[in-house]
Amino acid sequence: MPSKFSNWVTKITAVFKKEIKSEFRTRYALNSILMFAVVTLTTLSFTVGQFALTNPVKSALLWVILFFSAMSGLAQVFIKEEERRTASILKLSALPNVIFLGKFFFNLVLLFMLEIVTIPLFLILLSLQVESWLLLLVILLLGSLGLTSATTIIGAIVSKTNVKGTLLTVLSFPILLPLLVISIQGTKLALDGSHLAGAGSEIIFLLSYTIVMLTASILFFETVWME
Amino acid sequence: MLSLELEGIGKWFGERKVFENLNLKLENPTCLAVIGPNGSGKTTLLRIICGLIRPSQGKVSLKLDNQVVKKEAQGPFFSLVAPDLQLYDELTAFENLKFFSQLRDAVYSKDNLMQKIEQVGLKKREDDLVSSYSAGMKQRLKYALALLSSSKILLLDEPSSNLDEEGILVMEQIIQQHQEVGIVILATNDLKETQYAQQIFKLGN
């Protein structure tokens, strides 16, 4: 007899696997985020690649690309359920927190895939020298977790409206601004060669942001989803 | 004993009142037909009953052996078959059933899923993407899903929608089997379909 917890994990895994299968068959979000990232990167490398950019500018550019690429794809997990009218049967079949977490983990994997493609290209095209790889990876990991938790719940809210594109940007800006500012700061420190301890406040902030955002999202999601 | 009670249910969409002060009590085993003209709120009523829409007034309560079933635990009690309910087009019929059986705590085994698929006449098409299915085949697949979940309350909106003669026979069998143990509520414009019901509930004027 499976325990309640393992049953809950099995259901979250089922939603996650369904999203992966569905995405690789439809390319609903993957194509848009990858194309956005590659086009932006190429444009950037042609326009500013010849200049000697400072580390703060390079860090900001990296997170601007990640932010807008994520905006173009991660919110789709809920929008597609509403647009294709599959949301009703999903609502009848699983608890809201199961659906949210399944889709959160899927978005996280999608963002990691984006980063696997984008970051090496960014390093090459903008001739970036990373002095502290460990710190860069930690900042990217925590920044991605925060970005995914915020984008997933915002996507759920936006999917219920008629003005999805506009509202997504308007809602995301104030929520994601602190995360982006600190992620840019942390990335700058990694490029400058700071150690983990030197970026302690950035790491603590990003970790706290993710925990608060994820907890609030799980609590708030049922109201949004069942509306 | 399972009982479903609607107390003073009303629904408005903005200024437009769909219905108000509906009262109804059902106990298993039974089959209820909800009839009424287009726009009288049959689909809305079914969606309120299973919790997909919140009523503007009143409440729906579900009791199992006189114990109230909490709202968050009511999901597995309901199965809905409706024309506007969509399964995942990009998955095969088998994958759809597997996914929902995992979510709904249904017995998951390949044999069990295949048995349901066979029961609704979709054998040999189980590995086809649902996007390649006709509207009637999709409707049959929704019945397979309803069978799989073994929910106590079966809600059918326009039950024979898009079904051919063989499909209607499958549907009749399912209604017959289900109303012997649980509660079946069907919303229809087709008066022939009311023959399955022991009670009729009329909406609208």
Side-chain angles (χ1 to χ4, degrees):
Chain A
M1 185 78 179
S3 71
K4 258 188 172 178
F5 179 73
S6 71
N7 191 22
W8 183 67
V9 173
T10 306
K11 288 177 182 182
I12 293 170
T13 313
V15 174
F16 172 76
K17 281 184 180 169
K18 189 277 290 176
E19 290 299 328
I20 294 276
K21 198 172 277 181
S22 177
E23 180 57 39
F24 280 92
R25 286 185 188 165
T26 60
R27 305 277 200 276
Y28 211 89
L30 194 63
N31 281 354
S32 63
I33 62 169
L34 284 179
M35 281 311 293
F36 187 94
V38 170
V39 168
T40 317
L41 259 173
T42 315
T43 313
L44 265 182
S45 74
F46 278 121
T47 51
V48 298
Q50 54 193 316
F51 302 114
L53 301 175
T54 59
N55 282 347
V57 175
K58 287 174 182 173
S59 310
L61 285 176
L62 175 64
W63 281 97
V64 165
I65 293 171
L66 290 179
F67 169 73
F68 282 106
S69 307
M71 284 296 107
S72 69
L74 301 196
Q76 299 297 332
V77 280
F78 288 108
I79 293 173
K80 71 178 179 185
E81 298 284 359
E82 295 293 340
E83 284 182 349
R84 299 159 89 188
R85 295 190 297 168
T86 48
S88 296
I89 198 157
L90 204 51
K91 283 175 192 170
L92 273 179
S93 305
L95 290 174
N97 60 41
V98 166
I99 295 163
F100 180 83
L101 286 171
K103 286 178 182 285
F104 165 79
F105 287 119
F106 166 73
N107 269 348
L108 194 60
V109 167
L110 209 58
L111 191 57
F112 284 153
M113 286 172 70
L114 168 75
E115 287 170 357
I116 286 168
V117 174
T118 312
I119 288 166
L121 271 176
F122 189 83
L123 295 179
I124 295 164
L125 293 174
L126 293 183
S127 313
L128 236 73
Q129 294 293 321
V130 181
E131 300 294 333
S132 172
W133 279 101
L134 180 63
L135 179 58
L136 180 68
L137 289 176
V138 170
I139 295 292
L140 282 173
L141 176 70
L142 294 177
S144 304
L145 279 165
L147 190 58
T148 307
S149 24
T151 320
T152 308
I153 189 68
I154 296 167
I157 297 168
V158 164
S159 71
K160 302 286 179 184
T161 67
N162 294 325
V163 281
K164 297 176 174 60
T166 323
L167 198 61
L168 184 65
T169 321
V170 172
L171 277 178
S172 307
F173 181 70
I175 296 171
L176 285 170
L177 189 63
L179 175 93
L180 289 174
V181 170
I182 301 298
S183 298
I184 290 167
Q185 176 66 18
T187 307
K188 185 214 156 253
L189 289 173
L191 297 183
D192 288 344
S194 171
H195 295 294
L196 278 181
S201 54
E202 281 79 8
I203 291 172
I204 290 170
F205 177 88
L206 292 177
L207 199 59
S208 313
Y209 181 96
T210 302
I211 293 168
V212 169
M213 187 55 70
L214 204 53
T215 311
S217 299
I218 291 169
L219 293 174
F220 183 50
F221 179 68
E222 182 171 359
T223 311
V224 175
W225 179 238
M226 297 309 287
E227 191 48 57
Chain B
M1 171 70 77
L2 182 72
S3 76
L4 176 73
E5 194 168 0
L6 278 63
E7 296 168 70
I9 293 289
K11 183 68 188 174
W12 290 263
F13 289 110
E15 294 286 300
R16 197 175 73 82
K17 187 198 302 172
V18 185
F19 47 68
E20 66 177 339
N21 202 27
L22 296 185
N23 294 289
L24 182 68
K25 188 170 182 185
L26 296 171
E27 287 178 348
N28 71 324
T30 192
C31 178
L32 171 83
V34 180
I35 58 167
N38 293 338
S40 57
K42 300 184 293 295
T43 300
T44 305
L45 182 62
L46 290 195
R47 290 182 156 252
I48 286 174
I49 289 173
C50 64
L52 283 177
I53 300 180
R54 291 194 182 105
S56 307
Q57 64 171 200
K59 65 169 187 174
V60 178
S61 51
L62 186 65
K63 287 181 187 166
L64 183 64
D65 299 328
N66 283 326
Q67 300 287 313
V68 176
V69 180
K70 286 183 187 166
K71 202 81 193 158
E72 60 271 21
Q74 286 184 10
F77 283 84
F78 295 101
S79 277
L80 176 65
V81 177
D84 63 343
L85 198 76
Q86 297 297 321
L87 296 164
Y88 292 99
D89 275 352
E90 67 276 18
L91 302 183
T92 66
F94 186 85
E95 287 167 345
N96 264 290
L97 291 189
K98 182 181 169 187
F99 172 58
F100 286 109
S101 72
Q102 286 170 327
L103 288 188
R104 299 191 66 127
D105 290 326
V107 180
Y108 166 64
S109 71
K110 191 172 180 187
D111 289 345
N112 186 36
L113 299 193
M114 287 308 299
Q115 189 200 338
K116 306 303 177 201
I117 285 172
E118 199 174 338
Q119 202 172 338
V120 298
L122 291 175
K123 198 179 173 191
K124 293 184 180 167
R125 299 295 303 270
E126 71 272 14
D127 291 327
D128 292 355
L129 293 179
V130 170
S131 56
S132 69
Y133 274 26
S134 68
M137 291 166 77
K138 286 181 182 174
Q139 182 78 347
R140 288 182 185 217
L141 188 58
K142 291 174 203 170
Y143 276 104
L145 183 61
L147 284 172
L148 186 77
S149 316
S150 62
S151 306
K152 296 267 188 252
I153 302 172
L154 182 59
L155 305 172
L156 307 174
D157 190 8
E158 298 178 33
S160 59
S161 168
N162 297 313
L163 291 177
D164 57 15
E165 278 181 25
E166 192 195 335
I168 290 172
L169 284 176
V170 169
M171 173 201 81
E172 285 175 346
Q173 247 178 14
I174 292 170
I175 293 175
Q176 188 66 43
Q177 282 170 8
H178 206 92
Q179 67 175 320
E180 284 169 11
V181 286
I183 296 172
V184 179
I185 304 176
L186 54 96
T188 183
N189 285 314
D190 185 351
L191 290 180
K192 277 185 284 178
E193 288 173 352
T194 59
Q195 64 176 307
Y196 312 121
Q198 285 106 43
Q199 305 175 62
I200 292 178
F201 190 79
K202 194 166 186 292
L203 284 175
N205 297 321

